[in-house]
Amino acid sequence: MYIPRSIVKPSGVSPGAGAPKEPNVTIVIVDDILVFPMRDGGGVKILGNIVMKPGAKMYQFYQTASKFKAGFESEGDEDTITYKQKVEAEHPGDGLDINEFITNWTGKNVIVIFGSCSDNFQKVYGTKCAPLQLKATSQDDNDARKKMLVFEQYAKSAYLPGHYTGSLALSEPFAAAAAALDVNAANGTQYSLPSLDATAAVSFTTMELEPGQIVTLIGTGGDDPATLAQGTAGSVEVLLTTGSTWVALQNATINLQVFNTGATTHLIEVSRS
């Protein structure tokens, strides 16, 4: 629930200065998303990791960082105001890869994710119900060879671009062999639990993610799926919403954020589906 508060001047010497963008932009096909996390009560911060369907992943394309533009506009009369989000990027050259990219991504409903060198979060443009679509133009003359990539919303939305602190699913989730999980940077932040005929409690043999990071567990079902209960689970303490046990049913997910208090590591539930 959003609590109204005064908005003060942002910190920094020049808080309104442009923020250099990361050159690699992430693009996601909406139909490939298994779970798109909900937003918190403020309506902007996205809670948890975006989880892709089995066999699907996110992709990236390079853009000239100084040419990148993103924003939104409002439209509508009193009581009918909505927002339309828009991302503009340039890709240098006229290679086969970028031409095939344009050909095969045109007409796709997508979400675009990008970060800057000034923020500790990434921006998410587009939603599952109001996605973006690509409109491209080309320049090939004495001045430059480049492609201009514009991603626009066509469906109106009440949402502004989201703030995302989750992970990018550029590969498939780590397939755990057992319900005892070894969570580390090499294995990533998303873990697909095994399908079980005899249930087992999810536990964590190691937890090496940094405080604030979010780990996602993905269920694959079975006759007697794994469960995650509140309390001690191997090397961590798990705190669940209302204390209710999570069951790793087929495609069920739970997002847990890492916190440390002294020598104890806590995993606190952020969201589940």
Side-chain angles (χ1 to χ4, degrees), residues 80-98:
T80 63
I81 296 173
T82 56
Y83 296 96
K84 294 184 73 174
Q85 304 171 20
K86 184 177 180 179
V87 172
E88 301 177 55
E90 289 188 8
H91 182 89
D94 189 32
L96 177 63
D97 285 349
I98 188 60

Side-chain angles (χ1 to χ4, degrees), residues 52-72:
M52 308 300 292
K53 293 179 180 177
K57 64 179 183 178
M58 301 176 180
Y59 298 88
Q60 291 187 322
F61 65 87
Y62 173 84
Q63 56 85 25
T64 303
S66 63
K67 302 296 183 180
F68 188 85
K69 295 171 63 177
F72 61 84

Side-chain angles (χ1 to χ4, degrees), residues 18-233:
K21 301 299 186 289
E22 296 174 354
N24 292 316
V25 173
T26 302
I27 184 170
V28 189
I29 298 174
V30 166
D31 287 344
D32 286 346
I33 297 174
L34 176 65
V35 176
F36 196 96
M38 63 183 180
R39 299 184 179 208
D40 70 8
V44 176
K45 185 177 180 180
I46 296 172
L47 300 174
N49 290 323
I50 298 171
V51 180
M52 308 300 292
K53 293 179 180 177
K57 64 179 183 178
M58 301 176 180
Y59 298 88
Q60 291 187 322
F61 65 87
Y62 173 84
Q63 56 85 25
T64 303
S66 63
K67 302 296 183 180
F68 188 85
K69 295 171 63 177
F72 61 84
E73 294 182 351
S74 60
E75 58 181 51
D77 297 324
E78 182 182 6
D79 299 328
T80 63
I81 296 173
T82 56
Y83 296 96
K84 294 184 73 174
Q85 304 171 20
K86 184 177 180 179
V87 172
E88 301 177 55
E90 289 188 8
H91 182 89
D94 189 32
L96 177 63
D97 285 349
I98 188 60
N99 281 282
E100 290 182 339
F101 174 89
I102 292 169
T103 298
N104 290 281
W105 284 86
T106 297
K108 294 282 196 304
N109 290 325
V110 303
I111 288 168
V112 172
I113 306 172
F114 63 90
S116 78
C117 298
S118 302
D119 300 318
N120 58 1
F121 60 88
Q122 294 190 304
K123 287 283 191 74
V124 175
Y125 272 64
T127 69
K128 288 194 73 172
C129 296
L132 309 176
Q133 285 205 4
L134 171 64
K135 292 171 64 177
T137 56
S138 178
Q139 180 179 343
D140 187 352
D141 56 25
N142 190 57
D143 294 324
R145 302 179 80 190
K146 59 185 178 180
K147 305 298 184 200
M148 285 68 75
L149 309 175
V150 178
F151 298 88
E152 289 188 75
Q153 273 183 328
Y154 289 91
K156 297 177 181 180
S157 172
Y159 287 111
L160 271 61
H163 284 204
Y164 183 60
T165 56
S167 60
L168 299 177
L170 300 174
S171 59
E172 292 194 48
F174 181 81
L181 303 177
D182 181 14
V183 178
N184 55 54
N187 292 342
T189 61
Q190 299 192 19
Y191 292 77
S192 176
L193 298 174
S195 176
L196 298 179
D197 295 326
T199 192
V202 176
S203 63
F204 301 87
T205 54
T206 59
M207 175 55 63
E208 297 179 357
L209 298 183
E210 295 295 323
Q213 285 190 280
I214 295 172
V215 58
T216 300
L217 307 184
I218 305 167
T220 56
D223 292 337
D224 207 353
T227 60
L228 178 66
Q230 181 157 295
T232 303

Side-chain angles (χ1 to χ4, degrees), residues 48 78 92 239 267:
E78 182 182 6
L239 299 174
L267 290 178

Side-chain angles (χ1 to χ4, degrees), residues 3-22:
I3 301 175
R5 57 184 179 271
S6 299
I7 305 300
V8 300
K9 180 180 178 180
S11 61
V13 176
S14 184
K21 301 299 186 289
E22 296 174 354

